[in-house]
């Protein structure tokens, strides 16, 4: 089930509209808390996933930059033998 969230008139109190009956439901702090917690958890999971992806990419670049130096050192060592 999904709800459409909107900001209500002058009171700036967030509301949800029921997709079935279009009834406006005002979100009090106690009603909004579980939604906020779920959204926060989902965001933190996405952020952790992006952080892990960036770490993998950073490590791959680090290795990629290191390989040419290792290869050139190996060639130098082989030539002097």
């Amino acid at each position: 089930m999904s709800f459409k969230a909107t900001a209500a008139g002058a009171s700036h109190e967030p509301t949800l509209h029921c997709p079935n009956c279009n009834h406006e439901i005002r979100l009090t702090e106690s009603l909004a808390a579980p939604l906020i917690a779920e959204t926060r958890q989902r965001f933190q999971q996405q952020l952790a996933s992006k952080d892990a992806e960036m770490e993998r990419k950073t490590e791959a670049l680090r290795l990629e930059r290191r390989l040419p130096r290792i290869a050139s050192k190996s060639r130098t060592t082989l030539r002097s033998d």
Side-chain angles (χ1 to χ4, degrees):
M1 177 185 339
S2 65
F3 288 93
K4 181 180 175 189
T6 59
S11 68
H12 298 297
E13 189 173 76
T15 61
L16 294 176
H17 290 275
C18 175
N20 297 323
C21 66
N22 204 32
H23 180 76
E24 183 177 278
I25 304 165
R26 284 186 273 157
L27 283 179
T28 61
E29 198 170 316
S30 61
L31 286 174
L35 298 172
I36 292 169
E38 180 186 341
T39 302
R40 180 176 289 124
Q41 181 183 11
R42 202 171 339 128
F43 176 76
Q44 288 174 343
Q45 288 171 342
Q46 289 173 347
L47 185 59
S49 175
K50 290 287 183 185
D51 284 347
E53 181 183 349
M54 286 300 296
E55 186 60 37
R56 283 191 300 273
K57 287 181 178 184
T58 301
E59 186 60 28
L61 281 172
R62 220 178 268 134
L63 288 172
E64 189 177 298
R65 289 179 181 163
R66 218 180 284 160
L67 285 177
R69 283 186 261 152
I70 293 170
S72 67
K73 286 180 183 179
S74 296
R75 279 185 252 140
T76 305
T77 306
L78 290 173
R79 289 181 191 158
S80 55
D81 286 346

